Amino acid sequence: MENPIPYTIVESDRNDDPFQIIPTSTTQEVPESEASSQRYQQLLYWLSATGHGTWELFKKACQALKIETPGRILRRLKLLGHIESSADGRHWSAAPTSLVQIESQSETAKFILCGQQTGHLLSMLEQYAQVNVIHHSRGHAPDCIQIQLTDSTQINPIIEQVKTSLGLSIQNRGNVANQLAEILPELKEWMLRLRSLPGIVPSLYHWKRFDSDDFTECVFSQQTGLYQMWDLDGGDRSRLTLFYDAATNSWRQGDWYGLRFLALQHRDQPGIARYDRVKARLAIPYSQRWPQLYERALVLASGQLPNYQKTEQSLWLIYENVGRELVQQLTQKLQVTWEEDEVTTNA
């Protein structure tokens, strides 16, 4: 469902400065009109009311709201903690309504709203707390709903008041970003947990192998890597994109960025990252985007999707409000080398 976007990894990524200010005319930020952003909020409300469904139903809902690339929208909603999907991608379900605490640079306590939502719920929360509506920099997702309190102990009484008024079950999940970082496995173990597809006979298909920035035709020779499976009689689309692990002689299915990340690691192209400890921002090359579960931990640290920052040499993803301990845990598990910068400029 995710279309791969080839992007060449270059050595200059290591010496590039993702936090450097560049002229607006060269950025890839695309302003989103208010009317357009409301479509994504309407989609979230529809998903919340429907509860669960098939991939085809999700695509039809996007089509009705004139939302393009439903596969990308599904991934963003999962990163934001709003929905989940089955391992084969054929079904989805709305996540339970939850309040997730995020790190705060001030004395106030901050929470973000995840999962099933309604306009009535938002109005109710505004009666008991300061609610900040934060637009994602590139749009194309429901707004981040942030609840700000003077004391974190105020959150449970607010939840009880909402339950009483709306009869809605809502949970205080705590700091989910840190919880995820604790329980997520090492990269190799994560690969072994991916859905395995047995019974594939390589001679029945044409194959293309991922070679750093694109797929090229190949004769399958049981080499570990990322492959596209094509029908022998051709066609304009590949049947599947899979990761082959020679050590276990198994084909693994997963999210596109996660499989690409595995392929780069096996091609001796280890991941890199840059951390701005002053503003608690983490920068990752777009060409090395992390597997979905690990990226979710970064997104839930703020409730916001990453900003896209284009420098003269590279394209970077910038994640906000990411604590240093979170960076240490995730990069260690993903075998990513990171550098710490003390940056005082705004990205």
Side-chain angles (χ1 to χ4, degrees):
M1 289 182 289
E2 194 79 32
N3 292 326
I5 302 176
Y7 183 77
T8 304
I9 299 174
V10 292
E11 184 63 26
S12 60
D13 282 350
R14 297 183 178 275
N15 302 315
D16 204 6
D17 184 1
F19 303 114
Q20 180 182 1
I21 296 177
I22 60 175
T24 304
S25 60
T26 61
T27 66
Q28 293 199 3
E29 297 298 327
V30 181
E32 187 80 354
S33 70
E34 182 177 351
S36 180
S37 63
Q38 286 178 353
R39 295 202 301 268
Y40 299 95
Q41 198 67 40
Q42 291 170 0
L43 176 63
L44 178 57
Y45 289 163
W46 180 85
L47 295 169
S48 301
T50 306
H52 60 87
T54 63
W55 165 237
E56 291 301 321
L57 182 62
F58 183 90
K59 288 195 295 185
K60 288 179 180 177
C62 290
Q63 184 179 12
L65 291 168
K66 298 181 180 180
I67 294 175
E68 299 179 350
T69 61
R72 295 180 184 276
I73 302 306
L74 180 69
R75 187 179 194 278
R76 292 169 196 152
L77 291 172
K78 291 172 67 175
L79 290 176
L80 292 165
H82 295 320
I83 65 174
E84 300 292 345
S85 65
S86 60
D88 59 9
R90 295 180 181 178
H91 297 85
W92 59 269
S93 60
T97 306
S98 305
L99 288 172
V100 172
Q101 188 165 11
I102 63 175
E103 301 289 343
S104 177
Q105 306 300 319
S106 63
E107 296 181 357
T108 61
K110 294 181 179 180
F111 296 78
I112 54 174
L113 183 62
C114 297
Q116 293 172 293
Q117 301 177 25
T118 66
H120 198 183
L121 171 60
L122 181 57
S123 299
M124 184 65 65
L125 289 172
E126 290 174 335
Q127 296 180 26
Y128 301 114
Q130 178 180 335
V131 175
N132 304 317
V133 178
I134 304 172
H135 300 291
H136 298 285
S137 63
R138 292 171 62 89
H140 306 299
D143 293 331
C144 171
I145 307 300
Q146 184 187 94
I147 293 88
Q148 186 169 322
L149 303 170
T150 55
D151 187 341
S152 61
T153 60
Q154 296 175 317
I155 195 64
N156 287 331
I158 290 175
I159 288 175
E160 290 303 317
Q161 289 174 315
V162 172
K163 283 183 178 180
T164 301
S165 301
L166 299 180
L168 176 67
S169 177
I170 181 171
Q171 301 293 324
N172 178 4
R173 299 294 185 183
N175 192 316
V176 174
N178 290 343
Q179 294 168 18
L180 273 175
E182 288 284 348
I183 65 175
L184 284 172
E186 303 285 338
L187 183 63
K188 183 176 180 180
E189 178 63 26
W190 172 78
M191 186 271 292
L192 293 175
R193 294 183 187 182
L194 292 175
R195 183 170 183 249
S196 177
L197 297 184
I200 293 178
V201 181
S203 61
L204 298 180
Y205 304 95
H206 280 311
W207 296 94
K208 292 184 179 181
R209 189 167 188 262
F210 185 72
D211 185 15
S212 296
D213 62 346
D214 204 355
F215 286 89
T216 57
E217 292 188 7
C218 70
V219 175
F220 180 70
S221 57
Q222 294 187 310
Q223 285 186 301
T224 294
L226 181 59
Y227 293 86
Q228 284 182 341
M229 174 196 291
W230 294 76
D231 291 329
L232 290 175
D233 58 359
D236 56 357
R237 295 188 64 180
S238 61
R239 178 180 286 269
L240 289 172
T241 299
L242 302 170
F243 184 83
Y244 177 75
D245 178 44
T248 59
N249 188 28
S250 61
W251 294 95
R252 303 285 173 170
Q253 187 177 45
D255 71 285
W256 154 251
Y257 294 111
L259 297 183
R260 182 180 66 175
F261 190 88
L262 279 175
L264 294 175
Q265 289 278 351
H266 280 274
R267 293 185 65 84
D268 295 324
Q269 295 176 335
I272 63 172
R274 299 281 290 274
Y275 184 62
D276 171 4
R277 69 179 179 87
V278 173
K279 294 185 178 296
R281 300 179 297 177
L282 182 70
I284 297 171
Y286 178 82
S287 58
Q288 298 178 4
R289 194 165 196 160
W290 290 1
Q292 187 177 109
L293 282 176
Y294 301 83
E295 186 180 8
R296 181 185 290 191
L298 297 180
V299 171
L300 290 180
S302 65
Q304 299 174 60
L305 295 169
N307 297 318
Y308 284 63
Q309 175 75 341
K310 182 173 174 56
T311 65
E312 292 182 356
Q313 300 171 332
S314 307
L315 179 63
W316 296 79
L317 299 169
I318 311 292
Y319 300 85
E320 302 289 341
N321 201 49
V322 182
R324 192 175 188 276
E325 184 177 350
L326 183 62
V327 174
Q328 288 178 314
Q329 287 183 302
L330 293 175
T331 54
Q332 181 178 359
K333 291 184 175 183
L334 290 176
Q335 302 171 26
V336 169
T337 301
W338 64 287
E339 297 179 3
E340 187 172 1
D341 300 335
E342 183 171 344
V343 184
T344 58
T345 57
N346 292 319

